[in-house]
Amino acid sequence: MPPPSQPRDDAAMVATVVSWFAVEGRELPWRADVVTPWGILVSEVMLQQTPVARVEPVWREWITRWPTPASLASATQADAVRAWGRLGYPRRAARLWECAHTIVAQWDGQVPRDPQALRMLPGVGEYTAAAVLAFAFGERAIVLDTNVRRVIARAWNAEPLPRPHLVAAERAVADALAPTDPTMAARWAVASMELGAVVCTARAPQCTACPIAHACRWLADGRPGLAQAPRRSQAWNGTDRQVRGRMLALLRESHDPVRLRGHRALADVEPEQFDRCLASLLADGLASVAAEETFTL
DNA sequence: AATTCGGGGCG
DNA sequence: CGCCCAGAATT
């Protein structure tokens, strides 16, 4: 029988995770001291729904080629999308390119150190704005990505996984948890994210390696609910997303305009879906008409 | 609140 | 082969 509910020392748990990160945290390239706010912003956008391992080489290439917003703004969107490679969600590349233009035009070429200004940048939502404020500027921002949400869900709420959508109550818990001191809050942000990424993982959490295992409510309850997968699987084969990706791959690989209709790589695509996907790529500005029935990035 | 938007790699 | 990954924008 567990002891009667003893008061939990949230501050001690936070401090423990911060100390753990100082020793065990990975040395990712965008965590180096020399990285600029622009480098942080680029990394955060690339990391939206894309694993660290795949982002690393592309980030290095981008930041070497376009070390400032002005340098990316002087490139073409096609260059940005092509350099994006196969990271996925190529609209992010277009948005980052738009970000560069906005930052040059409105913020004197400097990534703004302001939540509302950041949120106005295309592709920058609640998470990314908070991450830039914390990681690039050392401010106290509530960083709630899927990793931090999972850590809080388990250690504090005794739930196996966070809910599909971020709710207000979660922000309140996270805000109460974050240290008042900006520097400490920023350290907690990166440390809690790292804990979720490498220890408190979704499928196979390494509780024996967790610095706050002794205080984790979910572990104390016997890690219930781990087996079930509450999320709906996203179909892939034959989806518009796959077809869009295949079309864009053809455009990326060629520097000359491409005749997409009737292309042998798209032979299995029904005409209706072909038209729908091509139209959406044009609407997103990811493809443009070069001439009659030929397209480019 | 629910959908759409890539792609790869791992258990 | 299902599931997950430093989400955002649109409806």
Side-chain angles (χ1 to χ4, degrees):
Chain A
M1 171 177 164
S5 62
Q6 51 193 11
R8 293 151 49 83
D9 191 342
D10 289 350
M13 291 171 69
V14 167
T16 299
V17 174
V18 169
S19 299
W20 167 84
F21 176 79
V23 177
E24 301 292 340
R26 294 169 294 178
E27 291 186 15
L28 302 176
W30 43 86
R31 287 179 179 164
D33 292 333
V34 297
V35 175
T36 63
W38 170 244
I40 301 290
L41 174 59
V42 171
S43 77
E44 291 305 335
V45 173
M46 287 184 173
L47 287 162
Q48 292 168 2
Q49 301 288 282
T50 304
V52 165
R54 291 175 54 203
V55 166
E56 272 206 52
V58 181
W59 182 84
R60 292 182 190 279
E61 184 185 333
W62 265 59
I63 224 60
T64 299
R65 186 171 177 184
W66 300 304
T68 63
S71 55
L72 179 58
S74 67
T76 66
Q77 185 190 329
D79 284 337
V81 171
R82 199 167 273 117
W84 193 256
R86 306 181 68 82
L87 280 187
Y89 295 140
R91 290 190 296 192
R92 292 182 294 168
R95 287 173 180 158
L96 215 32
W97 183 78
E98 293 177 45
C99 274
H101 283 268
T102 302
I103 291 169
V104 167
Q106 296 190 19
W107 307 109
D108 195 29
Q110 305 296 314
V111 175
R113 183 173 181 158
D114 176 78
Q116 297 184 39
L118 286 167
R119 284 298 299 271
M120 289 177 54
L121 298 174
V124 177
E126 176 177 351
Y127 162 76
T128 303
V132 170
L133 288 171
F135 305 151
F137 297 115
E139 294 209 9
R140 183 183 187 278
I142 306 306
V143 174
L144 273 176
D145 77 321
T146 183
N147 293 307
V148 178
R149 294 184 64 215
R150 191 170 50 247
V151 168
I152 292 178
R154 288 175 177 168
W156 274 268
N157 298 339
E159 294 163 359
L161 292 172
R163 310 165 68 136
H165 296 290
L166 182 58
V167 294
E170 248 180 298
R171 291 191 190 88
V173 171
D175 187 59
L177 236 45
T180 307
D181 175 68
T183 301
M184 283 304 296
R187 288 181 186 169
W188 158 246
V190 69
S192 56
M193 190 176 308
E194 184 79 347
L195 186 64
V198 304
V199 174
C200 194
T201 59
R203 285 310 210 76
Q206 310 291 311
C207 297
T208 57
C210 180
I212 55 172
H214 62 281
C216 178
R217 285 184 169 167
W218 180 63
L219 178 57
D221 285 357
R223 313 202 321 181
L226 188 58
Q228 43 186 320
R231 303 192 177 181
R232 296 180 303 108
S233 66
Q234 300 180 24
W236 174 241
N237 267 323
T239 60
D240 283 5
R241 267 148 88 165
Q242 189 201 35
V243 172
R244 277 172 54 111
R246 288 159 62 190
M247 287 179 166
L248 203 61
L250 294 173
L251 299 180
R252 263 200 320 265
E253 292 158 8
S254 172
H255 283 269
D256 298 319
V258 180
R259 182 174 302 276
L260 291 174
R261 194 176 304 279
H263 197 292
R264 64 187 188 289
L266 301 171
D268 58 311
V269 180
E270 298 294 331
E272 185 181 345
Q273 186 178 36
F274 178 95
D275 291 338
R276 186 171 62 243
C277 290
L278 180 55
S280 76
L281 284 176
L282 292 169
D284 285 343
L286 287 172
S288 47
V289 179
E292 186 75 15
E293 287 294 331
T294 67
F295 305 89
T296 62
L297 284 183

Tab-separated table of all heavy atoms in Angstrom, chain A residues 50 86 89 241 244-245, chain B residues 2-3 5-8:
chain	number	residue	atom	x	y	z
A	50	THR	N	9.567	16.386	-37.629
A	50	THR	CA	10.652	15.672	-38.295
A	50	THR	C	11.735	15.343	-37.267
A	50	THR	O	12.181	16.238	-36.549
A	50	THR	CB	11.242	16.516	-39.438
A	50	THR	OG1	10.200	16.874	-40.339
A	50	THR	CG2	12.308	15.744	-40.191
A	86	ARG	N	14.186	16.067	-48.645
A	86	ARG	CA	13.068	15.190	-48.332
A	86	ARG	C	12.687	15.250	-46.859
A	86	ARG	O	12.266	14.250	-46.275
A	86	ARG	CB	13.441	13.742	-48.703
A	86	ARG	CG	13.904	13.598	-50.147
A	86	ARG	CD	14.248	12.164	-50.492
A	86	ARG	NE	13.058	11.310	-50.505
A	86	ARG	CZ	12.213	11.217	-51.535
A	86	ARG	NH1	12.428	11.928	-52.615
A	86	ARG	NH2	11.177	10.435	-51.476
A	89	TYR	N	6.754	17.919	-45.482
A	89	TYR	CA	6.008	19.175	-45.303
A	89	TYR	C	6.755	20.347	-45.926
A	89	TYR	O	7.172	21.280	-45.240
A	89	TYR	CB	5.732	19.455	-43.827
A	89	TYR	CG	4.829	18.467	-43.170
A	89	TYR	CD1	5.070	18.024	-41.887
A	89	TYR	CD2	3.707	17.980	-43.824
A	89	TYR	CE1	4.224	17.109	-41.265
A	89	TYR	CE2	2.861	17.066	-43.213
A	89	TYR	CZ	3.132	16.635	-41.935
A	89	TYR	OH	2.299	15.737	-41.326
A	241	ARG	N	-1.289	13.390	-50.118
A	241	ARG	CA	0.018	13.771	-49.603
A	241	ARG	C	1.137	13.037	-50.322
A	241	ARG	O	2.171	13.618	-50.653
A	241	ARG	CB	0.099	13.476	-48.106
A	241	ARG	CG	-0.282	14.663	-47.281
A	241	ARG	CD	-0.922	14.236	-46.017
A	241	ARG	NE	0.043	13.998	-44.968
A	241	ARG	CZ	-0.330	13.901	-43.701
A	241	ARG	NH1	-1.590	14.033	-43.375
A	241	ARG	NH2	0.559	13.677	-42.785
A	244	ARG	N	1.325	14.426	-53.924
A	244	ARG	CA	1.977	15.746	-53.900
A	244	ARG	C	3.482	15.589	-53.728
A	244	ARG	O	4.280	16.271	-54.384
A	244	ARG	CB	1.415	16.589	-52.757
A	244	ARG	CG	0.122	17.324	-53.046
A	244	ARG	CD	-0.423	17.959	-51.767
A	244	ARG	NE	0.552	18.804	-51.103
A	244	ARG	CZ	0.471	20.123	-51.015
A	244	ARG	NH1	-0.564	20.765	-51.544
A	244	ARG	NH2	1.383	20.823	-50.388
A	245	GLY	N	3.869	14.717	-52.827
A	245	GLY	CA	5.283	14.494	-52.572
A	245	GLY	C	6.009	13.975	-53.796
A	245	GLY	O	7.131	14.401	-54.096
B	2	DA	P	-12.996	16.257	-32.267
B	2	DA	OP1	-14.003	15.208	-32.068
B	2	DA	OP2	-11.686	16.209	-31.583
B	2	DA	O5'	-12.738	16.407	-33.837
B	2	DA	C5'	-13.797	16.895	-34.658
B	2	DA	C4'	-13.299	17.062	-36.073
B	2	DA	O4'	-12.547	18.292	-36.188
B	2	DA	C3'	-12.368	15.949	-36.560
B	2	DA	O3'	-12.701	15.642	-37.903
B	2	DA	C2'	-10.983	16.580	-36.457
B	2	DA	C1'	-11.296	18.028	-36.783
B	2	DA	N9	-10.345	18.993	-36.229
B	2	DA	C8	-9.796	19.015	-34.980
B	2	DA	N7	-8.980	20.023	-34.769
B	2	DA	C5	-9.011	20.722	-35.973
B	2	DA	C6	-8.362	21.894	-36.405
B	2	DA	N6	-7.527	22.598	-35.638
B	2	DA	N1	-8.605	22.316	-37.662
B	2	DA	C2	-9.448	21.605	-38.425
B	2	DA	N3	-10.119	20.483	-38.134
B	2	DA	C4	-9.844	20.095	-36.879
B	3	DT	P	-11.991	14.419	-38.663
B	3	DT	OP1	-13.049	13.518	-39.095
B	3	DT	OP2	-10.871	13.923	-37.839
B	3	DT	O5'	-11.393	15.124	-39.966
B	3	DT	C5'	-11.035	16.479	-39.891
B	3	DT	C4'	-10.568	16.967	-41.242
B	3	DT	O4'	-9.786	18.157	-41.014
B	3	DT	C3'	-9.625	16.025	-41.991
B	3	DT	O3'	-9.705	16.297	-43.382
B	3	DT	C2'	-8.270	16.388	-41.407
B	3	DT	C1'	-8.393	17.884	-41.161
B	3	DT	N1	-7.692	18.336	-39.933
B	3	DT	C2	-7.044	19.545	-39.974
B	3	DT	O2	-7.031	20.253	-40.959
B	3	DT	N3	-6.420	19.894	-38.798
B	3	DT	C4	-6.381	19.168	-37.631
B	3	DT	O4	-5.782	19.585	-36.647
B	3	DT	C5	-7.086	17.910	-37.666
B	3	DT	C7	-7.102	17.050	-36.450
B	3	DT	C6	-7.697	17.564	-38.800
B	5	DC	P	-3.865	17.457	-48.113
B	5	DC	OP1	-4.094	18.060	-49.429
B	5	DC	OP2	-4.011	16.005	-47.893
B	5	DC	O5'	-2.408	17.882	-47.624
B	5	DC	C5'	-2.056	19.269	-47.611
B	5	DC	C4'	-0.794	19.443	-46.806
B	5	DC	O4'	-1.093	19.248	-45.413
B	5	DC	C3'	0.261	18.391	-47.145
B	5	DC	O3'	1.436	18.957	-47.691
B	5	DC	C2'	0.590	17.747	-45.818
B	5	DC	C1'	0.054	18.735	-44.806
B	5	DC	N1	-0.311	18.050	-43.554
B	5	DC	C2	-0.021	18.649	-42.333
B	5	DC	O2	0.500	19.767	-42.322
B	5	DC	N3	-0.318	17.989	-41.198
B	5	DC	C4	-0.883	16.770	-41.266
B	5	DC	N4	-1.149	16.149	-40.129
B	5	DC	C5	-1.189	16.154	-42.505
B	5	DC	C6	-0.891	16.821	-43.625
B	6	DG	P	2.418	17.870	-48.418
B	6	DG	OP1	3.704	18.454	-48.791
B	6	DG	OP2	1.549	17.251	-49.431
B	6	DG	O5'	2.656	16.853	-47.219
B	6	DG	C5'	3.205	15.610	-47.463
B	6	DG	C4'	4.727	15.706	-47.576
B	6	DG	O4'	5.338	15.697	-46.280
B	6	DG	C3'	5.329	14.513	-48.285
B	6	DG	O3'	6.608	14.905	-48.735
B	6	DG	C2'	5.365	13.506	-47.170
B	6	DG	C1'	5.782	14.377	-45.981
B	6	DG	N9	5.184	14.037	-44.689
B	6	DG	C8	3.936	13.543	-44.425
B	6	DG	N7	3.692	13.399	-43.150
B	6	DG	C5	4.850	13.840	-42.538
B	6	DG	C6	5.188	13.937	-41.165
B	6	DG	O6	4.487	13.647	-40.196
B	6	DG	N1	6.476	14.433	-40.970
B	6	DG	C2	7.325	14.800	-41.987
B	6	DG	N2	8.510	15.261	-41.637
B	6	DG	N3	7.027	14.732	-43.275
B	6	DG	C4	5.781	14.233	-43.468
B	7	DG	P	7.389	13.908	-49.710
B	7	DG	OP1	8.403	14.708	-50.428
B	7	DG	OP2	6.390	13.136	-50.460
B	7	DG	O5'	8.164	12.950	-48.728
B	7	DG	C5'	9.190	13.494	-47.907
B	7	DG	C4'	9.549	12.499	-46.843
B	7	DG	O4'	8.473	12.368	-45.899
B	7	DG	C3'	9.810	11.076	-47.344
B	7	DG	O3'	11.209	10.889	-47.310
B	7	DG	C2'	9.054	10.185	-46.362
B	7	DG	C1'	8.699	11.146	-45.237
B	7	DG	N9	7.525	10.830	-44.424
B	7	DG	C8	6.270	10.473	-44.848
B	7	DG	N7	5.425	10.264	-43.869
B	7	DG	C5	6.183	10.498	-42.732
B	7	DG	C6	5.817	10.429	-41.360
B	7	DG	O6	4.726	10.137	-40.872
B	7	DG	N1	6.891	10.746	-40.527
B	7	DG	C2	8.143	11.086	-40.964
B	7	DG	N2	9.047	11.355	-40.033
B	7	DG	N3	8.493	11.153	-42.229
B	7	DG	C4	7.477	10.848	-43.059
B	8	DG	P	11.912	9.588	-47.876
B	8	DG	OP1	13.095	10.049	-48.617
B	8	DG	OP2	10.908	8.722	-48.513
B	8	DG	O5'	12.439	8.887	-46.552
B	8	DG	C5'	13.177	9.670	-45.627
B	8	DG	C4'	13.118	9.039	-44.266
B	8	DG	O4'	11.758	9.058	-43.774
B	8	DG	C3'	13.566	7.566	-44.235
B	8	DG	O3'	14.507	7.431	-43.206
B	8	DG	C2'	12.279	6.810	-43.930
B	8	DG	C1'	11.527	7.837	-43.109
B	8	DG	N9	10.089	7.605	-43.038
B	8	DG	C8	9.226	7.343	-44.059
B	8	DG	N7	7.989	7.182	-43.676
B	8	DG	C5	8.044	7.343	-42.311
B	8	DG	C6	7.015	7.281	-41.333
B	8	DG	O6	5.811	7.053	-41.516
B	8	DG	N1	7.500	7.519	-40.056
B	8	DG	C2	8.823	7.780	-39.759
B	8	DG	N2	9.107	7.974	-38.468
B	8	DG	N3	9.787	7.835	-40.645
B	8	DG	C4	9.334	7.610	-41.896
